[in-house]
Amino acid sequence: MSTAIDNIVNQPYKAGFHTDIETDSVGRGLNEDVIRTISSKKNEPEWLLEFRLKAYRHWLTMTEPKWPNVTYPKIDFQDIIYYSAPKPKATKKSMDEVDPELLETFEKLGIPMNERAALAGVAVDVVFDSVSVTTTFKEKLAEEGIIFCSFSEAVKDHPELIKKYLGSVVPYTDNFYSALNSAVFTDGSFCFIPKGVKCPMDLSTYFRINTQDSGQFERTLIVAEEGSQVCYLEGCTAPQFDTNQLHAAVVELVALDDADIKYSTVQNWYAGDENGVGGIFNFVTKRGLCKGKNSKISWTQVETGSAVTWKYPSCVLLGDNSIGEFYSVALTNNMQQADTGTKMFHIGKNTRSRIISKGISAGKSNNSYRGLVKVSPKADGARNYSQCDSMLIGDLCGANTFPYIEVGNKSATVEHEASTSKIGEEQLFYFLSRGIDSEEAVSMIINGFVRDVFMHLPMEFAVEATKLLGLKLEGSVG
Amino acid sequence: MSDRAVEFTASLLEGEGVTLDSPKGKWLRQRQLEARVALKEQALPTSEEEEWRFTDLTSLYKNTLSSPDDRAAVDASVVKTFLIPEASSAIVLVDGVYSAELSRTNAVKTKIRVTDLKSALGDERLRERLERQLNNVGGDGVSAFCEMNTALFKDIVVVHADNRGVDMETIHILNISTGKHTFNHPRLMLLAEKQARICILEDYLGLGGFGYMTNAVSELSISAGAEVIHVKLQRDDDSAFHIAHTHVGVDNGAVYRNWSVSVGGAVSRHNLVTRQREEGGYIEIKGLALGHDKRIVDTHSCIEHTKPHGQSNQVHKTIAGGRSKIVFNGKVKVHQDAQQTNSSQQNRNLLLSARASVDAKPELEIFADDVKCAHGATVGQVNDDELFYLKTRGLDDGVARNLLNYAFAKEVIDDLPIKSLAGVIESYIKQQTRV
């Protein structure tokens, strides 16, 4: 049994390769000039530069958060390259014009980019080190009036929408890393679903950190108008490096009356080697605003990578009868540390939220669930159900649960449950007695443990996520 | 650190600690001095600190409190009404000072000794145990209020139980506050020897006192195979500030059962830290907190399993009415060595009014893989169906609600070993949850 588990734990990082590609970077460090340079390189309007500078000035007054249950070497924010973009070429009309080396990278990752993309029914907005290279399916989406493009394009083509919604859910004053992101974000995705439109396909973005030492500051904004529906997928892998890389993304979702946003993430960034050398620092601010009545935002995440994760996808349930959901699987091994969870703010009447979190810790890793359920005094009839289960593999890892429950309304009903367990000898014995070997049994037990979350992933991602866990389990499964 | 907290800390430190000149108390004076120094570094906490996030002490810090020098006479017949018949000994402290005329100690028929600091220091074995255990019973870190108590306590009630093979005995320790805007720092040390069996009732109440602060520290060191029942009843005056720390160390196969009931005070905070120090051991904690008017009731509990085969079971129930605020932070920590730990925790909160609030945070920190740990927390209101049922039986709305609230709270004290006290607590529940 122990060898089976060791095999699971000791899977090397599968996506570790580095593409040599010329990049256009600004120097290391951060000051107002760097921000002006980023802004001018991207031909941004004056108001956006102002937004960046305000955020930067506010960031200077802030200090790094110390409360998460993670430890990492102090980050030197002056030693980071804040802008790097693939060398600009003429605008591309077809896939043939894209740098072949770039295409090869996508090939290795198995991204359905050309015809495969059409077959898979996925529109991929590929972000390669901060700048969008190509966007597929744009025309098909445009027929429905859906805007799905890179953030820079959106700034050029739809400034009124960006101006209206940028920072409306995560203001630049929100926290240290969101302020930093607001000051230096280079690119990201923008998605707008007009009134009454049900997005005909799942939208997907692949992020990939490539240039050594370049911090990645993505900005994603999704706006779903009245009665619209969208399902958004985000997946990440990164090449293997020894220097810690900082990733401080901001994701903002806005759902108006009766709108429904489903946001799914599979995160498999480089986690460092078994001694904790290298790996990505993943400090992400994700928040959804259920602005309208009967709106719904659902977060599903599968976190398997990064050396340090600090991430709390949240829902602000402002509209009456709005619904927030959070489904999470967080797997840590070796020296990985994760402090992740969600925040549900019940503000409107009859708002409902549901939290299902599954943590798996192995090796010497430390996995914490930190969640907040807050019911404000006016949120009559608010309802929350939370369930946080942890599984420990080996006795050198840690699993922690920090749920905060703050209720200020007497008609609210809040329930929280948590448990911690391991793969029981009896469970294994049961499998063995039915002729299933221990490695397969372990894999089946873990897949069963995370099933409640995986069933909420969209089809394409469920396959990928199961594959990802399978990847980690490879060697033990045979 | 706010200026107010710093000023308040400094003003309290104008008071004196123990006045003993025997050389046997030298180490104790040294500890008091060390605590004083520590408080200069770190003043009393404010709500900026995570541990005090939900409990704002500004209302305490804006007071000027004094040492209770002029003691009001306490009527012995009144005190008598509070004493429980089950107790073989009753120790009465008035504003933190032992009162011989109000206390009654049974003749030394058993091997349980209840003494003050002076005579404890006179007994070499007890002195040595005291020196080893003081501030060292268990649990993470010492809070500033705990340091404050260490710097300023004037006496220690020492309970020494070495009564193996004899029936359990009950000791009542009654802390009466009579002062107006005064402070006192009661200190209790319970040393239960191997296989000893004892039940202690730690009881706090105000008798004519107003706006006073009680800053109590109780330490219980429970040796192998011993069984300790510990009931803490906080029924201080509605204007009082009650800060209490309970530190418990549980050895091999020992049993610790705690009932903590908070039905008084304007602001109260109870830090209950229990640490399983050796293999085995059973820890049971039952808590009840009633929020009433503008009261703030804060309970922070921590159960720490450091060695294998430990068991713990916790139930904490609260009822928040009026404009009260209830805080619960329940931590269960399982160290890497503590394999085969079995721990469960339940937190149930009932909200009665629109202006009351509950902040709950059950925490699990697990570093061992072969354990069973679970916790659950709920916040809710009285069930409409149950209410309807009672109304169809002819009860009016108020009576029906009161009955349901009472039933909710009663579960905690159903198996309280001190029967007469269960009745007393029941009447507090009925009275304070009336709608």
Side-chain angles (χ1 to χ4, degrees), chain A residues 392 394-407 409-420 422, chain B residues 50 53-54 336 339 351-352 357-366 368-370 373-379 381:
Chain A
L392 291 137
D395 60 357
L396 297 173
C397 51
N400 309 304
T401 316
F402 306 104
Y404 291 71
I405 300 166
E406 300 175 28
V407 182
N409 185 302
K410 72 159 182 169
S411 62
T413 306
V414 178
E415 287 174 89
H416 170 90
E417 271 181 70
S419 73
T420 303
K422 69 161 192 167
Chain B
E50 175 70 21
R53 231 179 98 185
F54 300 110
Q336 197 184 327
Q339 297 292 358
L351 269 171
L352 299 187
S357 66
V358 170
D359 296 310
K361 187 180 160 208
E363 283 178 63
L364 283 177
E365 282 185 54
I366 318 282
D369 61 341
D370 190 9
C373 290
H375 69 197
T378 58
V379 181
Q381 58 281 315

Side-chain angles (χ1 to χ4, degrees), chain A residues 167-213:
Chain A
S168 68
V169 185
V170 182
Y172 63 81
T173 50
D174 191 75
N175 68 65
F176 184 81
Y177 296 107
S178 72
L180 181 64
N181 176 289
S182 303
V184 301
F185 70 89
T186 39
D187 213 335
S189 301
F190 174 71
C191 177
F192 177 83
I193 320 291
K195 204 167 172 175
V197 171
K198 186 170 181 268
C199 189
M201 64 189 84
D202 294 350
L203 304 179
S204 159
T205 303
Y206 249 93
F207 295 98
R208 198 169 162 79
I209 299 179
N210 199 278
T211 308
Q212 192 151 6
D213 288 349

Side-chain angles (χ1 to χ4, degrees), chain A residues 129-438:
Chain A
D129 257 52
S130 323
V131 169
S132 263
V133 181
T134 181
T135 305
T136 49
F137 287 102
K138 208 182 226 174
E139 281 158 30
K140 194 171 172 192
L141 292 171
E143 277 172 31
E144 301 271 2
I146 295 169
I147 304 167
F148 180 44
C149 60
S150 75
F151 208 88
S152 329
E153 279 176 64
V155 170
K156 278 192 206 90
D157 302 341
H158 311 282
E160 71 297 336
L161 287 172
I162 300 287
K163 209 169 174 177
K164 185 172 174 190
Y165 290 109
L166 180 69
S168 68
V169 185
V170 182
Y172 63 81
T173 50
D174 191 75
N175 68 65
F176 184 81
Y177 296 107
S178 72
L180 181 64
N181 176 289
S182 303
V184 301
F185 70 89
T186 39
D187 213 335
S189 301
F190 174 71
C191 177
F192 177 83
I193 320 291
K195 204 167 172 175
V197 171
K198 186 170 181 268
C199 189
M201 64 189 84
D202 294 350
L203 304 179
S204 159
T205 303
Y206 249 93
F207 295 98
R208 198 169 162 79
I209 299 179
N210 199 278
T211 308
Q212 192 151 6
D213 288 349
S214 77
Q216 183 109 3
F217 302 94
E218 299 289 346
R219 189 97 196 181
T220 302
L221 176 60
I222 299 175
V223 180
E225 277 202 329
E226 289 85 348
S228 65
Q229 256 185 48
V230 64
C231 182
Y232 191 87
L233 322 175
E234 176 206 291
C236 321
T237 59
Q240 192 155 351
F241 287 128
D242 274 337
T243 320
N244 286 313
Q245 285 188 310
L246 174 67
H247 181 99
V250 171
V251 176
E252 295 178 281
L253 313 181
V254 182
L256 302 182
D257 288 359
D258 304 302
D260 185 341
I261 303 178
K262 195 171 160 73
Y263 193 105
S264 310
T265 312
V266 172
Q267 188 261 107
N268 183 28
W269 282 336
Y270 180 51
D273 64 14
E274 58 265 49
N275 300 315
V277 178
I280 305 289
F281 292 173
N282 188 20
F283 302 143
V284 183
T285 308
K286 288 187 172 180
R287 194 174 303 155
L289 174 64
C290 286
K291 202 171 180 178
K293 283 179 188 158
N294 309 318
S295 54
K296 179 178 172 187
I297 289 180
S298 174
W299 298 98
T300 308
Q301 62 171 20
V302 179
E303 299 281 320
T304 60
S306 295
V308 182
T309 302
W310 179 95
K311 181 180 176 188
Y312 314 92
S314 314
C315 294
V316 180
L317 305 171
L318 188 66
D320 292 349
N321 312 322
S322 57
I323 300 172
E325 289 177 336
F326 176 74
Y327 301 100
S328 166
V329 169
L331 177 100
T332 57
N333 66 35
N334 294 326
M335 299 294 280
Q336 271 179 284
Q337 304 173 72
D339 194 308
T340 183
T342 184
K343 291 189 259 184
M344 294 290 173
F345 298 95
H346 291 262
I347 300 167
K349 294 189 192 346
N350 301 316
T351 47
R352 280 173 288 160
S353 65
R354 185 182 169 88
I355 300 169
I356 308 284
S357 166
K358 305 275 180 181
I360 304 167
S361 357
K364 293 176 184 165
S365 68
N366 208 338
N367 199 333
S368 304
Y369 167 82
R370 187 185 301 276
L372 169 69
V373 175
K374 187 167 185 151
V375 179
S376 75
K378 285 182 182 161
D380 292 338
R383 184 82 177 83
N384 161 267
Y385 174 75
S386 314
Q387 187 188 339
C388 312
D389 296 325
S390 308
M391 183 182 276
L392 291 137
I393 300 174
D395 60 357
L396 297 173
C397 51
N400 309 304
T401 316
F402 306 104
Y404 291 71
I405 300 166
E406 300 175 28
V407 182
N409 185 302
K410 72 159 182 169
S411 62
T413 306
V414 178
E415 287 174 89
H416 170 90
E417 271 181 70
S419 73
T420 303
S421 58
K422 69 161 192 167
I423 296 175
E425 298 290 340
E426 282 166 36
Q427 287 174 320
L428 275 181
F429 179 76
Y430 180 87
F431 277 97
L432 290 174
S433 67
R434 264 126 191 102
I436 296 163
D437 68 38
S438 61

